[in-house]
Amino acid sequence: MRRAPTVLAQPICALGVASPALASAAQFDATGMGVAWAIPFIGLLLSIALLPLLAPHFWHRFYGSIAIAWALAMLLPLTAFYGAAAAFNIVIHSLVLEYFPFIIIIATLYTIAGGIFVRGNLHGSPALNTGLLAIGGALASVMGTTGAAMLLIRSVIRANDNRRFRVHTIVFFIFIVANAGGGLTPLGDPPLFLGFLKGISFFWTVQHMFLPVLLVVISLLAIYYAVDTFYYRQDTALGFRPDPTPDDPRLSIEGKFNFLLLGVVMATVLTSGVWRSGVEIEVLGNVIALESLLRDLCFLVVAAISLKLTPRAVRQANEFTWGPIKEVAKLFFGIFLTMAPVLLMLKAGEAGAFAPLARLVTDQNGLPIDAMYFWMTGVVSAFLDNAPTYLVYFNLAGGDPQQLMTTQARTLTAISAGAVFMGAMSYIGNAPNFMVKAIAEHSGIRMPSFFGFMVWSVVILVPLFSLLTWIFF
């Protein structure tokens, strides 16, 4: 343990998304890396997209092994070309500073939310479903997209358990609750929390993101209501399925003390972002701020308390299982490792293999093109973790928080909106997306494939984002 001589490496794993700052890997020179180093990452994405369709039994049995195989396809050449020390350094960084904090917060929120059960029979009409999505969207900016999604997804699934057509509801749940709703405050979505840690005012985010978030969320709620009304009429014509939920008009919440634990998680995240202990701990060559370590330990303690104090009957009624979190843990283990070279190349900016992406956001005079900042931040966020993507374009725009909040306010708004909103474009664009998908599938809902989900996102979101560009950027 040591006292930091200057500014600490900031604790930038917030609400479940990993740190983009490759602290111990910063010395690695990625300028000589070619785009071929992205092949293992692309291969893993294609495996997630295609194998559930082409070989479903093989995939569901061996998806963990497939993720590890693609990770090895990156690690072995990395070791051969750059040496074991460099490969070890990058891997340990990805695991210690990124993957483990990510899975700890995801598992903690999953455990806490699994201990909250709404007893009673909600009937999933278009009005009720739209109301639930609106509540989730509002909560997302208060307790984070991951927290709001984990809290409400099972209630939404149970409310629609007698509906034949349910997939669209889960898709819009991902759009609104797991992504767009979190754009209002730094607590809502990790990219905005990163900006907060970099010096962006809490209320600057509230002020400048308010209208974009309002437009996107209200538009999605209106579209969802129209779509759900159509499918509700289809359900009515075909006849609803027998309702497996006991018909009890009285609503009550069991496991309410878990709300207190959610409050502890939110307070811990915020505290870890504003408190600077001045103490660093070295773990296998990676420097971890004491506040980051205490944050993750607090999460583990809170999850253990939830498991210990929540009655087993509440979790059984909630159909709580560890299956979804195991699936997320295995797949994202491979994702975090295989995307490490991609992030390094992005971080290299115009000196790296992805230099064309850096050049697209400025005009001939070197001035920022705000619309391109919105779309480039968004497109990359759709397939990479949106938190490191935010930081890449934040730095490309100059990285000066005072300038970005004043003369370049529209540029920073474009970067923020792109990272938050377009995380909804794919299952892996934002932390809770894949978790919601896994919970829905474990509840018997046949979710769209990777590309099937993107058909929904392209058809619904791209026109909306084009309108957003025209109005704001």
Side-chain angles (χ1 to χ4, degrees), residues 187-353:
L187 285 176
D189 213 24
L192 304 182
F193 191 77
L194 286 180
F196 175 66
L197 294 178
K198 284 291 184 179
I200 303 302
S201 165
F202 188 98
F203 293 103
W204 184 96
T205 302
V206 176
Q207 177 185 352
H208 287 80
M209 288 292 289
F210 180 79
L211 289 179
V213 169
L214 190 67
L215 172 64
V216 171
V217 170
I218 289 180
S219 298
L220 286 173
L221 288 172
I223 296 169
Y224 171 74
Y225 183 81
V227 172
D228 197 44
T229 298
F230 170 80
Y231 281 118
Y232 191 79
R233 290 171 179 167
Q234 297 291 103
D235 282 322
T236 303
L238 295 173
F240 291 95
R241 300 186 307 175
D243 192 344
T245 308
D247 196 4
D248 186 351
R250 298 170 298 174
L251 294 178
S252 61
I253 299 177
E254 300 180 11
K256 286 184 283 190
F257 77 92
N258 281 289
F259 284 109
L260 176 62
L261 299 181
L262 282 174
V264 172
V265 170
M266 293 163 55
T268 301
V269 168
L270 188 57
T271 301
S272 74
V274 298
W275 173 50
R276 298 291 181 265
S277 68
V279 177
E280 296 174 335
I281 300 170
E282 188 170 318
V283 179
L284 295 174
N286 289 273
V287 174
I288 303 177
L290 176 63
E291 51 268 31
S292 298
L293 183 61
L294 292 177
R295 175 200 61 214
D296 294 342
L297 290 175
C298 180
F299 291 159
L300 293 174
V301 170
V302 168
I305 291 173
S306 177
L307 282 173
K308 179 69 175 177
L309 298 184
T310 303
R312 182 176 298 179
V314 173
R315 293 195 183 274
Q316 289 176 340
N318 223 1
E319 298 180 358
F320 179 88
T321 69
W322 293 109
I325 194 67
K326 288 180 180 178
E327 182 176 357
V328 170
K330 292 177 181 179
L331 289 177
F332 275 84
F333 177 84
I335 288 172
F336 271 91
L337 290 181
T338 56
M339 78 177 180
V342 181
L343 292 177
L344 284 167
M345 289 186 287
L346 280 170
K347 188 182 178 185
E350 292 198 19

